[in-house]
Amino acid sequence: EMQLVESGGGLVQPGGSLRLSCAASGFTFSSYSMSWVRQAPGKGLEWVSVIGGSGGSIYYADSVKGRFTISRDNSKNTLYLQMNSLRAEDTAIYYCAKHRKVATIDDFDHWGQGTLVTVSS
Amino acid sequence: EIVLTQSPATLSLSPGERATLSCRASQSISSFLAWYQQKPGQAPRLLIYDASNRATGIPARFSGSGSGTDFTLTISSLEPEDFAVYYCQQRSNWPPLTFGGGTKVEIK
């Protein structure tokens, strides 16, 4: 069974940093692109960043470019999101999501349960 | 950036009724559109990909149609578990991958 489990969320002050992790199991992790998608409280879904299966092909939403860094360790089947210079508007549930087709950036067929990041003083 | 506009924002229906949800793209996205269902406190679940293909395990009462800029998600007969928020998402022109603002299907 495919599983994605996020961790690392919490309360952080504006300007602070946080590193999210997403542990994957039940599929060949290195074959699939992975994304982070966030959802502010009571709001809709916002794509944040994507990384290709080999760690290349990295893209970011303009709202996080230059502040967030996506990476992956295929030997550990883990996806990461390093978040720096955090702002109040980054407050959200952060989901890791697996793309559906091998080596393709398309839709998301599996999602983690999410981890809450709260940026507040 | 491709903007997806979903309508209506809220749909009030009774179990057994037919639900028709709309998603309109700001420019043509061919058939590169997906639909998701999200229930309170849960992650989204993929329902439909490439406009009209049901994802694994999705009941036949869910169907998708459309191409270009206009897309529809139809739930033929609402079950109690179908009351949720539905999002569309495009993968035609990225980055960024974009989502619509959502349609809430609520019990009338």
Side-chain angles (χ1 to χ4, degrees):
Chain A
E1 179 192 0
M2 291 187 199
Q3 199 168 15
L4 299 170
V5 180
E6 301 96 335
S7 60
L11 175 64
V12 61
Q13 292 188 339
S17 298
L18 214 53
R19 189 197 199 199
L20 306 183
S21 299
C22 171
S25 60
F27 63 100
T28 305
F29 182 67
S30 60
S31 294
Y32 293 89
S33 299
M34 298 291 294
S35 275
W36 289 97
V37 177
R38 69 184 180 183
Q39 187 169 36
K43 302 297 184 182
L45 301 168
E46 180 189 16
W47 171 80
V48 171
S49 181
V50 65
I51 184 168
S54 62
S57 298
I58 289 175
Y59 300 91
Y60 298 97
D62 285 346
S63 57
V64 306
K65 200 174 295 181
R67 300 187 299 121
F68 289 11
T69 302
I70 192 171
S71 62
R72 64 192 296 162
D73 185 339
N74 288 341
S75 69
K76 295 181 178 179
N77 287 352
T78 302
L79 175 72
Y80 302 101
L81 186 67
Q82 177 67 44
M83 305 186 295
N84 299 331
S85 302
L86 283 161
R87 306 166 179 167
E89 55 264 36
D90 295 319
T91 294
I93 296 172
Y94 285 74
Y95 296 100
C96 69
K98 170 187 166 292
H99 287 269
R100 180 174 50 85
K101 286 171 64 175
V102 169
T104 304
I105 295 174
D106 52 6
D107 27 75
F108 310 101
D109 67 345
H110 284 84
W111 299 65
Q113 84 288 352
T115 187
L116 177 63
V117 172
T118 303
V119 184
S120 174
S121 54
Chain B
E1 172 176 332
I2 293 179
V3 176
L4 298 177
T5 303
Q6 291 189 241
S7 61
T10 304
L11 198 52
S12 299
L13 295 168
S14 300
E17 289 193 296
R18 182 184 189 89
T20 304
L21 288 67
S22 173
C23 177
R24 177 164 290 177
S26 58
Q27 64 189 74
S28 178
I29 58 171
S30 184
S31 296
F32 298 129
L33 187 96
W35 290 93
Y36 301 86
Q37 176 193 67
Q38 187 178 33
K39 297 178 182 179
Q42 296 185 16
R45 177 175 70 145
L46 178 65
L47 298 176
I48 301 287
Y49 63 90
D50 292 346
S52 61
N53 296 285
R54 274 190 302 278
T56 302
I58 301 304
R61 65 181 181 272
F62 291 92
S63 63
S65 63
S67 66
T69 61
D70 291 308
F71 300 86
T72 300
L73 173 69
T74 301
I75 310 171
S76 59
S77 178
L78 283 164
E79 296 288 340
E81 62 268 28
D82 299 337
F83 292 92
V85 179
Y86 293 83
Y87 295 96
C88 55
Q89 175 244 326
Q90 68 83 23
R91 66 175 182 95
S92 172
N93 189 340
W94 59 272
L97 295 164
T98 53
F99 292 88
T103 291
K104 181 179 182 180
V105 179
E106 65 176 23
I107 300 176
K108 186 174 181 180

